[in-house]
Amino acid sequence: WEGKVMGLQILPFNKTLFGKDWKMTKWLCFVVAGILFFTMTLGVLNTYNNYQRTLKEVEEHPERFPDFDAEVHKVYIKDSLIRMFRRLTGMESFVIIFMPMAAAALLFGEEKRKKTFEVLSTMPFTRWEIFFNKVIVALVNVISPFLINAVIMIAALGLSKGLRDFYSAGMVMYWLGADVFRLFVILSFSLLFASITGTSISQLVLTVIFFIFPIGFAGLIDMNMSIWGYHTSVIDTFLNTFGTYTMPGLLDIIENIPIVFHLISAIVMLIAAKLLFDRNKLERSGETLEFESIETFFKVGVTGCTSLLIGAIFTWLIGGIIFFSDDVPRIVTIVGYIAGIILGWYIASYSIKSNRAKA
């Protein structure tokens, strides 16, 4: 028994840290739970009532529904629910992408921006305790809204026999498991950027950029190759082959996603986030990047992408306004590239310098 007590004492879970972080972020959990309820769960719960209402309307006004078949209509509703549980809806996709990013930004970026990590450093908490409890709070925040709505939908099956004709507890659990998997991977991805950035804004911006980077950068390359007259299917082949291995690929149906690859990647990113967090310096809290060594990489990356984007915009804009054609002199594209280089380097440098001045 004494050994068990000692084991519990050395666990990194800390009620004080958990309570502090939960108090700061719990509003996000409740807001998302409400969004899911009104955009999905409520519709599922009203399925049987809506079906009965339709039958009543058909009975009262049969002339309006000459070809109505109750069983066919029921099968249609069932199929619609199956698709809803298996495929992400618009709002559900939005929540799955941005909920983990927002939770990570609140727990790490905001603490760094407000420099409250300096206060924590004076208290008897280790870096491991701080990181571990923030990860636990983040997981609770992102999973709880989905769990709450899953419990409501399953409980409704016990209260309404009619609902059992349309969906099952197994369908709900499939939906919950698939979304928890997606949330865990995207949260691990978000925590990685939480450990290399010093403010909530820079953290969110970089997380979003790198979330879409493989597909976005491939699109930029494809656009610029087309401008220079090179039409190739290499980009399409790349996306078709490796698209499911990217972060946006997580939004596909679960059968098409390489689950093992993403789980291993998530664990690796989580470990990397912990190791990088251990190397964070308090004096750099509030800066755009935690590590000075990656500032040049950041500038070059922003500059390169901005150059490709502005080059394409210049070509299409000038072509449409001045030449009224797609046949635009190459000098226009080159001028766009140069303007993009100047703008990209300025934006990246200004972001670093302005936050350094505040830090």
Side-chain angles (χ1 to χ4, degrees):
W1 174 253
E2 289 181 2
K4 291 182 179 180
V5 172
M6 289 298 294
L8 289 173
Q9 289 176 347
I10 63 174
L11 285 175
F13 179 78
N14 185 288
K15 288 184 179 180
T16 302
L17 289 172
F18 181 90
K20 176 189 75 70
D21 289 336
W22 171 246
K23 184 178 180 180
M24 179 173 61
T25 59
K26 62 183 179 182
W27 64 269
L28 183 64
C29 172
F30 297 137
V31 167
V32 172
I35 291 173
L36 286 175
F37 179 80
F38 287 107
T39 59
M40 180 176 179
T41 304
L42 189 59
V44 173
L45 299 182
N46 285 329
T47 299
Y48 179 66
N49 289 337
N50 291 338
Y51 176 70
Q52 290 298 319
R53 192 177 296 115
T54 300
L55 293 183
K56 184 177 180 181
E57 189 173 352
V58 171
E59 184 179 351
E60 293 176 352
H61 306 283
E63 69 281 1
R64 297 181 184 176
F65 310 91
D67 300 321
F68 181 81
D69 187 310
E71 285 304 314
V72 171
H73 185 59
K74 178 182 282 189
V75 171
Y76 171 77
I77 295 175
K78 287 180 180 179
D79 290 341
S80 297
L81 285 179
I82 290 173
R83 285 193 299 271
M84 186 179 68
F85 281 120
R86 293 172 65 86
R87 295 179 179 273
L88 295 177
T89 61
M91 181 54 69
E92 190 181 354
S93 298
F94 181 86
V95 168
I96 285 176
I97 293 172
F98 292 104
M99 172 68 167
M101 295 182 186
L106 286 172
L107 289 165
F108 288 85
E110 276 300 285
E111 291 255 39
K112 292 177 181 180
R113 185 183 67 83
K114 295 177 180 178
K115 297 185 180 296
T116 49
F117 271 126
E118 295 180 5
V119 178
L120 287 176
S121 67
T122 64
M123 299 180 179
F125 304 126
T126 64
R127 283 286 182 100
W128 172 225
E129 284 180 306
I130 294 172
F131 181 83
F132 179 85
N133 284 276
K134 285 186 178 296
V135 171
I136 295 300
V137 171
L139 285 170
V140 171
N141 266 287
V142 301
I143 294 175
S144 293
F146 290 82
L147 181 61
I148 291 169
N149 280 274
V151 169
I152 292 173
M153 287 187 279
I154 292 174
L157 291 173
L159 300 174
S160 172
K161 293 182 180 179
L163 282 176
R164 299 172 201 169
D165 291 335
F166 296 95
Y167 74 94
S168 65
M171 291 165 61
V172 177
M173 293 305 298
Y174 176 94
W175 167 79
L176 177 63
D179 281 356
V180 167
F181 158 72
R182 295 184 179 101
L183 289 164
F184 173 65
V185 176
I186 297 177
L187 178 62
S188 297
F189 181 77
S190 302
L191 291 173
L192 178 62
F193 287 91
S195 297
I196 64 174
T197 52
T199 68
S200 51
I201 298 299
S202 62
Q203 179 182 329
L204 283 172
V205 170
L206 283 179
T207 306
V208 172
I209 288 175
F210 278 90
F211 182 88
I212 63 174
F213 178 78
I215 293 177
F217 187 71
L220 282 176
I221 296 295
D222 188 52
M223 286 189 296
N224 282 272
M225 288 179 69
S226 297
I227 289 171
W228 289 93
Y230 297 99
H231 299 282
T232 175
S233 61
V234 173
I235 302 300
D236 291 334
T237 303
F238 170 80
L239 293 179
N240 291 333
T241 305
F242 300 103
T244 56
Y245 292 91
T246 65
M247 285 292 123
L250 290 166
L251 304 181
D252 200 353
I253 59 174
I254 204 71
E255 288 83 0
N256 294 340
I257 300 173
I259 296 176
V260 174
F261 169 82
H262 280 293
L263 281 177
I264 293 174
S265 298
I267 294 171
V268 170
M269 288 187 289
L270 199 56
I271 294 172
K274 164 62 172 62
L275 296 176
L276 289 168
F277 181 74
D278 287 343
R279 297 182 62 187
N280 285 179
K281 297 178 180 179
L282 293 175
E283 60 268 22
R284 289 189 67 89
S285 290
E287 297 197 22
T288 300
L289 299 170
E290 281 283 354
F291 303 98
E292 190 173 357
S293 58
I294 63 174
E295 288 181 356
T296 301
F297 172 79
F298 172 70
K299 292 178 182 178
V300 171
V302 172
T303 300
C305 291
T306 305
S307 177
L308 291 173
L309 179 61
I310 299 299
I313 291 175
F314 258 52
T315 303
W316 294 330
L317 192 62
I318 299 299
I321 295 177
I322 298 179
F323 297 95
F324 300 101
S325 169
D326 293 333
D327 188 17
V328 181
R330 293 290 177 260
I331 186 64
V332 174
T333 305
I334 294 173
V335 170
Y337 288 154
I338 295 173
I341 289 172
I342 296 172
L343 179 63
W345 190 267
Y346 173 77
I347 290 173
S349 299
Y350 179 78
S351 172
I352 292 172
K353 289 180 180 179
S354 61
N355 284 320
R356 181 169 294 159
K358 297 174 185 177

